[in-house]
Amino acid sequence: MPTTPTDHRLAALAPALESAGQAHLIPWCEGLEASARDRLLDQLAELDLPLLARLSGGGGDESAASGDLEPPETVDATDAAALERRAAGEAMLAAGKVAAFTVAGGQGTRLGWNGPKGTFPSTIVTGKPLFRVFAEQILATQDRFAPSEPIPWYVMTSPANDADTQAFFRDNNRFGLAPGQVFFLVQGTMPSVDFEGRVLLESPDSLCLNPDGHGGSLRALRRSGALEEMTARGIEQISYFQVDNPLVRILDPLFLGFHAADPRSSGEMSGKMVAKRDAGEKVGVFCRRGGRTTVVEYSDLPKELAEASDAQGRLRFRAGNIAVHAISVDFAMRLTEEGAEIGLPFHRAIKKVPHLDLATGAIVAPAEPNAIKFETFVFDAMPLAKRALVMETSRLEEFAPIKNATGEDSAESSRQAQSDRAASWLEARGVKVARHADGHAAARIEIEPRTALCAADLATRPLPDRIDPGSEVVI
Ligand code: UTP
């Protein structure tokens, strides 16, 4: 019979734990001393146990959808409407209708950097951390369009990296941004489970929790009050981007204009694409399915579709998703409406998760994947928009993510891409830049965001005549 309040809490929760397949936790809780048991019960009480039972019940990936896939329609800078759209985007920025939003709550396990990924030294010469690169773009954009208030920047963190992220901004004096210009919001978490669907513990009194995916960003914007605050400030559109791409063009007027002012868009949610490097590149692709724009993950795209070509001999499904979106505040509100929340589907990822072995009480560091993590993805909101627009841009200009410690999509490949882009901007202004035989820039060249956000911005700058092989240049 329960005798203490802690016993009562456990007794009250036990039936729900049992019916959600989590009965293994009951004897474990019983064996804990009262304060540890209370801490664990606090976490367990927060879980959506019916959801967990559904996800772990072997029902497969909630995201698996069927229907014929077609390539999407796309727009780009050569579109007849581009000039007008850019002007519309510029007007939105000048009127203070756009906020920047970075999702920075990921665990960054592939990179293996000891700290939030946004603190990673990313640029080729000065080693600026990713957060500084974005801050300087925001400052350059507001210098140019002079909105009456500073452009707000929302940064989503996770419970694991929030304190370190906020401390980094403080220690760096917010990279010159105004007090009150940067807002932090913490995303939600999901428990990691073993292959039988049992939640894992990371210590005797706490669960293994992982951030609930970048799809959790819409909910986090809502719960934190950010959406209401944006509405109160007159913000209509959110410029969404990930923390790992130093070439990203945030607050891009052309994209914002197409998104908000083009009849092919409902102004709810748009995405940017680059042509896939090859059929095997690990990026999701934008597709049309059932009259809706959607993104299919690389692992879900059947091989024959991934490798199919179109009439011009290009990949038929070439619209690689670079995770840059424009999202209206109204759309984010609609999807997260209290009581009628339109949940994004959960995807399952099989991972190695260190955990406590309940039989021995020892921490196990698995050599092989042992657990399932559940995450939602922001691109699953695309088909929920009335008409979602996809804009094509160039990889050289806008996409060189830092995902891995070495090889493809690493800091090294990203830094080379930064130099290559800088070289092409300089060459467009008549500078002679040394190149290797394989076409890559043969010098380390960094163009700072406050100098230029695009090639055209270099028009009025004094530039060197030439850049020699092996040299190091900051412009
Ligand atoms: P990734 O898919 O690259 O995941 O995130 P990750 O967690 O950063 O890295 P790995 O897979 O462990 O190596 C893409 C973007 O989405 C953000 C990341 O911070 C990154 O900007 N993200 C991801 C979140 O904000 N929250 C999440 O739960 C997951």
Side-chain angles (χ1 to χ4, degrees):
M1 286 296 283
T3 52
T4 69
T6 317
D7 293 340
H8 282 288
R9 284 185 74 193
L10 179 56
L13 197 59
L17 289 172
E18 266 169 28
S19 63
Q22 308 301 335
H24 64 296
L25 295 173
I26 300 170
W28 180 260
C29 284
E30 284 166 350
L32 291 176
E33 51 89 16
S35 59
R37 192 191 308 172
D38 261 335
R39 283 192 293 277
L40 187 54
L41 287 172
D42 286 345
Q43 285 193 342
L44 292 172
E46 288 291 306
L47 297 184
D48 183 341
L49 287 169
L51 170 71
L52 193 60
R54 199 174 78 232
L55 296 176
S56 327
D61 198 316
E62 279 203 332
S63 60
S66 54
D68 285 345
L69 294 176
E70 295 289 328
E73 276 177 40
T74 58
V75 298
D76 64 21
T78 64
D79 191 279
L83 263 185
E84 240 174 74
R85 299 293 173 259
R86 185 187 300 278
E90 290 176 353
M92 288 161 65
L93 289 165
K97 292 186 176 170
V98 190
F101 180 34
T102 311
V103 289
Q107 294 173 304
T109 35
R110 285 170 288 173
L111 182 62
W113 171 246
N114 184 19
K117 213 191 236 190
T119 67
F120 185 81
S122 63
T123 63
I124 182 156
V125 182
T126 62
K128 281 181 190 161
L130 286 151
F131 284 133
R132 179 177 287 283
V133 174
F134 308 141
E136 290 184 2
Q137 279 204 42
I138 291 169
L139 287 167
T141 305
Q142 85 195 15
D143 283 354
R144 180 150 333 156
F145 299 108
S148 57
E149 297 290 331
I151 297 173
W153 182 16
Y154 292 82
V155 179
M156 184 177 82
T157 60
S158 72
N161 72 14
D162 183 65
D164 287 349
T165 304
Q166 294 212 34
F168 193 70
F169 274 74
R170 258 192 324 272
D171 293 348
N172 285 281
N173 207 12
R174 297 175 309 282
F175 313 106
L177 293 161
Q181 185 170 5
V182 187
F183 304 87
F184 298 93
L185 46 130
V186 183
Q187 72 173 108
T189 55
M190 283 293 284
S192 307
V193 301
D194 68 14
F195 295 145
E196 274 75 51
R198 290 177 303 220
V199 300
L200 297 169
L201 299 189
E202 70 166 12
S203 70
D205 58 359
S206 74
L207 303 172
C208 291
L209 296 170
N210 60 273
D212 61 358
H214 41 66
S217 59
L218 300 180
R219 217 173 21 242
L221 282 172
R222 178 67 177 226
R223 282 201 198 133
S224 63
L227 293 180
E228 280 84 355
E229 191 182 84
M230 287 179 188
T231 307
R233 287 169 171 251
I235 301 289
E236 294 174 4
Q237 297 291 346
I238 301 167
S239 172
Y240 168 107
F241 59 102
Q242 301 190 336
V243 77
D244 52 19
N245 177 16
L247 286 194
V248 68
R249 176 80 203 270
I250 58 181
L251 302 160
D252 173 9
L254 181 64
F255 182 48
L256 289 167
F258 269 121
H259 165 70
D262 194 282
R264 290 163 285 187
S265 163
S266 61
E268 291 182 317
M269 181 159 178
S270 301
K272 273 190 185 179
M273 62 149 280
V274 300
K276 268 180 78 171
R277 206 159 28 207
D278 52 57
E281 189 186 4
K282 291 184 174 170
V283 289
V285 286
F286 290 102
C287 301
R288 296 278 294 167
R289 175 161 46 202
R292 298 270 166 173
T293 304
T294 193
V295 173
V296 177
E297 276 220 281
Y298 63 89
S299 49
D300 294 335
L301 188 68
K303 190 165 183 287
E304 64 278 12
L305 293 188
E307 291 176 352
S309 339
D310 65 13
Q312 290 125 287
R314 305 178 308 184
L315 288 177
R316 179 154 179 260
F317 291 96
R318 59 190 282 281
N321 173 24
I322 59 167
V324 173
H325 296 287
I327 301 171
S328 80
V329 175
D330 285 350
F331 181 59
M333 282 276 194
R334 175 159 80 75
L335 295 192
T336 55
E337 207 65 66
E338 210 68 80
E341 197 172 305
I342 305 173
L344 301 179
F346 277 92
H347 297 249
R348 302 153 71 107
I350 309 292
K351 301 271 179 173
K352 285 190 256 185
V353 175
H355 64 282
L356 193 77
D357 180 336
L358 298 195
T360 64
I363 296 288
V364 180
E368 295 301 324
N370 63 315
I372 305 172
K373 289 185 179 180
F374 301 108
E375 291 188 331
T376 57
F377 296 154
V378 75
F379 56 67
D380 281 324
M382 293 278 290
L384 303 173
K386 291 183 194 91
R387 286 182 311 284
L389 177 134
V390 179
M391 184 179 122
E392 176 157 4
T393 185
S394 110
R395 181 186 294 271
L396 171 75
E397 286 288 323
E398 298 194 38
F399 189 53
I402 300 175
K403 299 271 186 200
N404 302 314
T406 54
E408 240 175 44
D409 296 339
S410 64
E412 195 190 344
S413 66
S414 178
R415 289 180 188 136
Q416 180 65 59
Q418 294 164 31
S419 263
D420 291 346
R421 180 176 80 171
S424 79
W425 290 5
L426 292 169
E427 284 165 345
R429 306 253 51 97
V431 179
K432 180 134 187 41
V433 181
R435 292 214 178 236
H436 291 298
D438 63 5
H440 285 304
R444 300 157 66 80
I445 319 167
E446 181 170 331
I447 298 180
E448 301 194 279
R450 298 202 75 171
T451 306
L453 292 172
C454 59
D457 294 347
L458 291 178
T460 54
R461 298 272 165 177
L463 297 172
D465 297 333
R466 49 182 295 145
I467 294 193
D468 293 326
S471 56
E472 206 168 69
V473 185
V474 179
I475 292 169

